[in-house]
Amino acid sequence: MSDTAVATEKPKTSFRGSGGVRGWFGRQPGWVRAVVALAAAALAFLLPYVGDIPLIGPQLITEGIDWPSALFNMSYYVLLALGLNVVVGYAGLLDLGYVGFFAVGAYGTAILTSKDSVLYSHTGWAWLAAVPVALAATMLAGLILGWPTLRLRGDYLAIVTLGFAEIIRIVATNTQTFRGDRGFTGIPHPPGTWNGKVIFGVTDAIPYFWLGLVVIIAVIFGVRNLDRSRVGRSWLAIREDEEAAEIMGVRTTKFKLWAFSIGAFIGGLGGVLFAGEQGFINSSTFVLQFSILVLAGVVMGGSGNMAGAILGGALISYIPDRLRGISVGGTDLYEYRFAMFGVVIIIIMILRPQGLIPSRRRAMELKDRAKEVAPL
Amino acid sequence: MNFSGLIDNFGPLTVAGLAQGAIIALFALGYTLVYGVLRLINFAHSEVFLVGTYACLIIWGWFGLDQNSARPDFGAMLGYMALGLVAAIVVSGTVALGVELVAYRPLRRRNAPPLAFLITAIGASLAISEFVGVATHRNQRGVPPIIQARTVITIGNTHITNLQILIIALALVMMFVLDRFINGSRLGRGIRAVAQNPDSAALMGVNKSRVISLVFLLGGLMAGIAAVMYDLKIGVTKYDAGFLLGIDAFTAAVLGGIGNLRGALLGGLLLGVLQSWAAGLFGSNWLHAAAFVLLVLILMFRPSGLLGESLGRARA
């Protein structure tokens, strides 16, 4: 008992010393933190109504796209960012093909439920029934990707993961079973009725956003607990120095595979939600730029920190959506959204190389390194 | 699977693959040079290539050439080729230096973590390709027929065109020149020194910043040449051309051993030929999938590429 008390005491004191909002948050007793977290979650549920706030509200909401839909887009981007954060931020495995798992989740749902699927006469399941199978498939895909790449480091891993996502996209584009550009139509929506009305309809995106939010909160809890467990400490050790970790008895193979399959699982969740909301998917959704965008979000927000990943994931979806429908001097800014987004990424990374909300540990490492280096 | 198709067309597929591979190899040099020195993937290199493909078209456009023009005579052809190459080299080199200045140098001053460089490079890549996309209305642009592909050598059913010979020869010459430059010149020695150990090199009086700029410039020059060759071979260019071929080039660099110049040549030629064979065997839709499967297989047995990592022989 006393051993664990000492072990948990030390790092906390060093965090409590830090200033700012997060320093304050860290110094509060457990119940205050719980209340603040609950309040934040409750506020997140009210986001669809942000446009009703006088003055500020109309500035925040997107003009060219229905605001709840924009929020739903943000929710699955946030999910993907959270999942990729496990792989890149915690375990330090550079994954450039994360969209592959998103695709497996979405296609897993589609092929089990859509009437266009070759399996339709056997399956034709409801959305909810397809979810566990699709998620199992993505975890398996995570293992399949993880297994041959265990020996690879850094950039070799990056190119193989990139290739993995491309292979999934090419298979989806060029095989009869996955229907390429024609895609799958009629993917059922999530179930449920309220006062005799269907909750998850086609016109109102708010329930989908709330569903996404519930999933996000569940994922945050799950990942937070993993991060503070043996698994999380092993990831950290692998990220910092794989050889040293292995020598100290960390089973690197096992925990790298864990990182891949948990990351894949979360990406699959995003895909399943996406398929359930859209009702239609085709291969052109799952392009490589998508994974690169999510990676940019994670690193921009603060790799290795969930708050950062959430912010980054939300921003990569929000900025382009917000630019839609704004015209300056006759040209629609939507046309320039990605170009401007690219410039924004560069500016943010130059001003805050450790990300917008960096992991505290990472920030300290960076400070240490900055002292060591001789100026160029 | 079309085995007879592959066997019947083995010669033509191989030659076409070599020509494509030569372009990929020149393009891959930019990745491998920057990686050798900075240990970073220069994601924006694909856009360095892209601006090259447009630069020569714009110059040719000034002379009133478009894809419908008549083929120029031999002297004019030489002049246009030289102009196009110079334009592409100058523009690609400038953009490469610009990328280094905007996306890399500020981060290097702050000693940012490696992932931060990757993200600014991604940002630069996105910004450049999208600005080109907007400026060209995302339409493809045709290339004037500066060199008409014409069969000059026939071996069996293999027809080798003058263009294929030009591309392969130019790539080999450039590789040789670059190899001599890195391994034989004073500046090249500086590059190798920084690649081997940046801090020691700085202590020995090597100007690290200048070496890094030089490396970006060299990568840009090679990409410019690759861009002109690409234009002539493919006949059209588009705002996403750099991104798509960039994946191939990066794959080639990794295949040969990233950071290794000769590895880039080997990787590029090998990848080009393999893709060509895969296209013959499975159909052209599958060429990238086949290439990636092969890459995974090779990396499983040789985790640091075919020739291993080293810039020149510095690390061997």
Side-chain angles (χ1 to χ4, degrees):
Chain A
M1 278 300 273
S2 63
D3 274 10
T4 50
V6 170
T8 50
E9 194 69 16
K10 244 200 157 170
K12 268 187 186 167
T13 46
S14 62
F15 289 164
R16 280 176 183 177
S18 52
V21 176
R22 285 197 296 161
W24 172 85
F25 188 70
R27 282 190 297 275
Q28 299 309 305
W31 68 270
V32 175
R33 281 189 279 174
V35 167
V36 171
L38 274 176
L43 280 179
F45 275 94
L46 293 177
L47 275 175
Y49 306 107
V50 100
D52 298 335
I53 303 172
L55 294 175
I56 318 162
Q59 306 303 317
L60 290 175
I61 62 165
T62 51
E63 283 167 30
I65 169 176
D66 169 45
W67 175 234
S69 300
L71 280 173
F72 173 75
N73 292 346
M74 276 155 81
S75 75
Y76 71 76
Y77 270 96
V78 165
L79 261 182
L80 291 175
L82 281 170
L84 188 60
N85 185 40
V86 169
V87 186
V88 176
Y90 290 155
L93 304 163
L94 182 52
D95 187 344
L96 284 183
Y98 193 63
V99 69
F101 301 125
F102 181 70
V104 172
Y107 272 104
T109 314
I111 206 157
L112 289 171
T113 60
S114 167
K115 62 176 163 38
D116 297 332
S117 157
V118 286
L119 295 177
Y120 186 68
S121 52
H122 304 288
T123 55
W125 295 356
W127 180 80
L128 203 57
V131 169
V133 182
L135 291 180
T138 46
M139 285 187 85
L140 189 67
L143 290 179
I144 292 172
L145 170 66
W147 187 249
T149 57
L150 282 170
R151 287 176 68 197
L152 303 176
R153 300 284 157 87
D155 305 300
Y156 294 93
L157 183 64
I159 187 71
V160 171
T161 51
L162 188 153
F164 171 78
E166 275 297 275
I167 289 174
I168 289 183
R169 190 185 63 80
I170 292 169
V171 168
T173 311
N174 296 321
T175 54
Q176 280 296 312
T177 321
F178 293 102
R179 299 181 57 82
D181 265 347
R182 288 171 301 155
F184 291 93
T185 55
I187 301 167
H189 297 298
T193 51
W194 178 265
N195 284 344
K197 277 199 290 183
V198 178
I199 301 175
F200 296 99
V202 260
T203 49
D204 188 5
I206 296 179
Y208 294 100
F209 168 64
W210 283 338
L211 179 66
L213 212 52
V214 170
V215 175
I216 288 171
I217 291 170
V219 165
I220 291 173
F221 266 101
V223 172
R224 179 171 158 274
N225 285 348
L226 272 176
D227 184 37
R228 294 180 174 186
S229 70
R230 207 164 89 89
V231 182
R233 289 193 297 276
S234 306
W235 285 340
L236 182 119
I238 292 170
R239 184 185 79 201
E240 293 305 317
D241 191 328
E242 202 174 323
E243 278 91 3
E246 187 137 29
I247 291 165
M248 301 310 281
V250 175
R251 291 172 62 187
T252 52
T253 307
K254 180 177 153 189
F255 288 111
K256 276 164 87 173
L257 285 178
W258 263 111
F260 269 121
S261 57
I262 287 170
F265 176 83
I266 300 171
L269 270 175
V272 163
L273 280 178
F274 178 77
E277 197 254 3
Q278 298 280 310
F280 169 78
I281 57 163
N282 70 3
S283 60
S284 60
T285 314
F286 307 100
V287 291
L288 207 55
Q289 282 90 337
F290 199 106
S291 345
I292 289 166
L293 212 59
V294 176
L295 180 69
V298 170
V299 179
M300 197 166 77
S303 175
N305 184 28
M306 271 200 286
I310 292 169
L311 178 67
L315 280 181
I316 49 170
S317 167
Y318 177 74
I319 296 175
D321 276 347
R322 182 71 188 83
L323 291 173
R324 195 186 294 213
I326 304 174
S327 64
V328 174
T331 46
D332 192 350
L333 283 188
Y334 188 65
E335 185 71 7
Y336 287 91
R337 68 195 184 284
F338 284 120
M340 287 167 69
F341 184 64
V343 176
V344 170
I345 293 178
I346 298 177
I347 295 171
I348 292 180
M349 290 315 290
I350 287 174
L351 295 179
R352 288 186 74 89
Q354 68 278 51
L356 290 170
I357 314 178
S359 137
R360 290 195 184 87
R361 196 190 294 265
R362 283 270 171 112
M364 286 179 188
E365 285 168 15
L366 202 72
K367 255 188 193 165
D368 275 0
R369 281 165 39 128
K371 268 184 240 159
E372 284 170 20
V373 75
L376 282 171
Chain B
M1 291 238 252
N2 183 5
F3 277 110
S4 64
L6 175 64
I7 291 162
D8 291 343
N9 297 308
F10 189 80
L13 285 172
T14 309
V15 174
L18 280 175
Q20 179 73 6
I23 295 174
I24 295 175
L26 280 179
F27 193 171
L29 284 172
Y31 288 102
T32 227
L33 276 166
V34 170
Y35 189 89
V37 170
L38 289 179
R39 314 263 115 195
L40 295 168
I41 307 172
N42 180 14
F43 220 92
H45 189 57
S46 51
E47 269 45 64
V48 170
F49 172 84
L50 173 72
V51 294
T53 64
Y54 274 100
C56 59
L57 289 190
I58 289 169
I59 286 282
W60 289 334
W62 287 353
F63 289 90
L65 293 176
D66 61 22
Q67 70 262 47
N68 303 321
S69 311
R71 187 158 57 88
D73 59 41
F74 187 75
M77 185 273 282
L78 280 184
Y80 286 137
M81 273 304 292
L83 267 176
L85 278 171
V86 168
I89 286 173
V90 168
V91 173
S92 287
T94 313
V95 169
L97 283 177
V99 164
E100 197 270 330
L101 207 64
V102 172
Y104 283 81
R105 188 158 296 188
L107 287 177
R108 233 175 36 243
R109 290 233 175 88
R110 291 162 162 260
N111 197 39
L115 264 183
F117 290 90
L118 184 69
I119 303 302
T120 49
I122 288 172
S125 161
L126 200 60
I128 298 173
S129 75
E130 283 291 318
F131 275 122
V132 172
V134 173
T136 58
H137 305 289
R138 300 184 197 276
N139 292 326
Q140 57 184 31
R141 180 162 174 169
V143 177
I146 303 288
I147 299 179
Q148 201 76 46
R150 171 169 59 80
T151 305
V152 284
I153 304 174
T154 304
I155 307 165
N157 67 345
T158 309
H159 304 287
I160 304 173
T161 65
N162 49 356
L163 193 57
Q164 285 168 333
I165 293 174
L166 174 74
I167 291 171
I168 297 169
L170 197 59
L172 290 176
V173 168
M174 288 320 297
M175 280 299 306
F176 179 76
V177 170
L178 187 67
D179 197 70
R180 286 324 308 151
F181 178 75
I182 300 279
N183 287 320
S185 75
R186 197 179 132 81
L187 285 169
R189 197 159 64 212
I191 293 176
R192 280 180 295 140
V194 175
Q196 205 163 8
N197 188 330
D199 295 333
S200 301
L203 289 173
M204 297 298 143
V206 179
N207 186 338
K208 205 169 122 188
S209 278
R210 196 184 295 164
V211 163
I212 291 169
S213 297
L214 177 66
V215 159
F216 272 86
L217 182 68
L218 286 175
L221 304 184
M222 297 296 151
I225 297 170
V228 178
M229 299 293 110
Y230 174 88
D231 275 350
L232 293 176
K233 179 167 185 290
I234 308 293
V236 288
T237 184
K238 209 180 165 197
Y239 74 101
D240 60 1
F243 183 82
L244 298 176
L245 197 69
I247 296 173
D248 284 344
F250 182 48
T251 309
V254 172
L255 190 65
I258 193 161
N260 185 325
L261 291 184
R262 291 166 195 183
L265 179 66
L266 178 68
L269 293 178
L270 198 62
L271 189 73
V273 171
L274 287 172
Q275 284 188 346
S276 186
W277 288 345
L281 194 55
F282 305 108
S284 57
N285 291 335
W286 294 95
L287 113 197
H288 283 102
F292 278 123
V293 169
L294 211 103
L295 177 79
V296 174
L297 289 178
I298 289 176
L299 287 182
M300 276 173 83
F301 295 103
R302 286 196 62 90
S304 50
L306 287 172
L307 297 186
E309 297 176 14
S310 74
L311 188 58
R313 269 173 290 185
R315 281 166 190 272

